[in-house]
Amino acid sequence: MNSGEPVCIKDLEKIAEQVMPGGAWGYYASGANDEQTKHENEEAFSSYRLHPRMLRDVSKISTETTILGQKVKTPLGIAPCALHKLAHPSGEAATSRAASQHGSIMILSTYSTTSMEKVIAQGDGSTQYWMQLYVYEQRSVSEALVRRAEKAGFKAIVLTVDAPVLGRRLVDARNRFNPPPHLRLENFMDPEVANSGYSSDLARSANETFGATFGANGDQTLSWANGISWLKQITSLPIIVKGILSAEDTQLAISHGCAGVIVSNHGGRQLDGALSTIDALPQIVEAAGDKIEVYMDGGVRKGTDIFKALALGARAVFVARPVLWGLAYKGEEGVLHALKLLQSELELAMMLAGTTCISEIDESYVYQPTNRWVRYAPSRNGKPRRLVAKL
């Protein structure tokens, strides 16, 4: 007899699609344009095969690792995603409580429907909280968010760099999606107001704030030269750059003193046709060496996906949509269920592959596809084009 209890992330996704309003579902689930990159984020994992080892003692395993020098129970963390209250009335507060029980890292979106102070207050000290940031034309807005996050106890700033403009998401365009008028983006409110029992007339709706900040007023002049140095002037927190897909940009992140990079294509919601993150990961890990930590997100739906990313050199793996599916399913309990599913699948994969700890997982456990793509530098001054990269 089928109990109806979701036993994998795909089960949670189906439930979330049934219970969420169409516009909200479309906002979360959709990608840019033809959604090639969104789909390949998931599908590309199947091109990597596992190479398990046998007759090893796996009676005791541990997923404990360190991120930015701090111990965490698992390398599985929560990626930033806007508007959690679209999925459940408890929103980011419920996600934070589940994250605290999970014991890793939660990255909070700037476009949270719960204030950063409320979110971090749900923690019990076992979870690291990082703050995701966009840089706006009026940089004082971004600076205020950074200083507020630092004061609240966030441990790192995650600068999103793949959204100088908003990608074209056809599902949202067809649905004419706007956040519901009752939602508020509390990080753009005065903290004293946001963290008290405010009435709706004291703050602009999420729809108004969203339109007044994201995309329309993003700082399109932001660059390696004028962005990272500015951010380092206003905070002592480690800076992690999210949205990296190339070795070249990884080297720039190192030279500008960043603490980490997140291999990410924004869940396939920005530049359609970009590499899947698991395919981009190896070149970035190679470029990073031991000079900068490398994390990844995008398309992770199974414990074996996490194992493959760790084997290819990711130090941590973040998920967003699976968390949202869990949130839509049962609030805090649903988020924790999603995280437990992935965590238990990771532990199972480790045991079946013959590994007992995260440090043992390396590329010897994965068969990688070869010669899938090549990239050339164009011919110049009569010189023939040359091979730059082979993936």
Side-chain angles (χ1 to χ4, degrees), residues 277-289:
T277 50
I278 193 66
D279 285 328
L281 179 61
Q283 62 169 309
I284 292 167
V285 169
E286 183 178 7

Side-chain angles (χ1 to χ4, degrees), residues 130-384:
W130 298 351
M131 188 69 206
Q132 179 270 333
L133 180 73
Y134 293 103
V135 175
Y136 305 107
E137 284 182 354
Q138 189 176 345
R139 289 200 178 183
S140 60
V141 174
S142 299
E143 181 176 348
L145 289 167
V146 170
R147 297 193 184 282
R148 186 171 162 185
E150 198 166 19
K151 182 179 179 181
F154 285 76
K155 299 302 183 184
I157 298 297
V158 178
L159 177 65
T160 295
V161 296
D162 59 3
V165 293
L166 188 65
R168 189 159 187 255
R169 301 160 192 175
L170 303 185
V171 173
D172 285 349
R174 293 184 184 112
N175 290 339
R176 298 185 179 180
F177 174 76
N178 281 308
H182 68 279
L183 296 183
R184 300 290 181 271
L185 298 180
E186 294 188 354
N187 290 330
F188 291 92
M189 297 167 57
D190 182 284
E192 291 188 9
V193 174
N195 298 317
S196 64
Y198 61 88
S199 59
S200 60
D201 60 352
L202 284 177
R204 293 188 299 176
S205 69
N207 183 17
E208 293 173 303
T209 311
F210 204 63
T213 53
F214 192 42
N217 291 314
D219 186 351
Q220 295 177 17
T221 71
L222 186 68
S223 68
W224 289 105
N226 68 33
I228 304 301
S229 59
W230 167 78
L231 199 50
K232 290 173 80 72
Q233 287 174 5
I234 65 172
T235 183
S236 59
L237 292 176
I239 298 168
I240 296 158
V241 184
K242 180 179 182 292
I244 299 301
L245 291 172
S246 70
E248 298 94 324
D249 283 337
T250 304
Q251 292 164 351
L252 284 167
I254 293 169
S255 66
H256 285 82
C258 298
V261 295
I262 301 180
V263 182
S264 177
N265 52 38
H266 219 104
R269 294 163 64 80
Q270 284 297 103
L271 178 63
D272 197 28
L275 277 179
S276 72
T277 50
I278 193 66
D279 285 328
L281 179 61
Q283 62 169 309
I284 292 167
V285 169
E286 183 178 7
D290 59 0
K291 297 178 181 177
I292 194 170
E293 293 192 355
V294 177
Y295 322 118
M296 70 87 69
D297 66 21
V300 175
R301 300 293 183 269
K302 297 178 291 187
T304 50
D305 296 341
I306 302 170
F307 186 95
K308 290 172 183 178
L310 296 173
L312 293 175
R315 193 165 190 86
V317 177
F318 293 92
V319 294
R321 287 185 176 105
V323 167
L324 295 168
W325 306 156
L327 187 62
Y329 168 54
K330 275 189 180 179
E332 174 188 345
E333 181 183 343
V335 174
L336 188 58
H337 186 68
L339 294 171
K340 283 183 175 179
L341 284 173
L342 290 169
Q343 177 68 17
S344 63
E345 289 177 4
L346 170 60
E347 293 172 6
L348 178 62
M350 289 175 63
M351 295 175 74
L352 292 176
T355 57
T356 61
C357 61
I358 299 300
S359 62
E360 290 179 357
I361 305 172
D362 60 28
E363 63 181 341
S364 68
Y365 288 90
V366 176
Y367 292 101
Q368 302 179 43
T370 60
N371 299 336
R372 299 177 69 185
W373 300 280
V374 294
R375 185 167 62 85
Y376 292 94
S379 58
R380 288 198 178 98
N381 301 321
K383 294 181 179 179

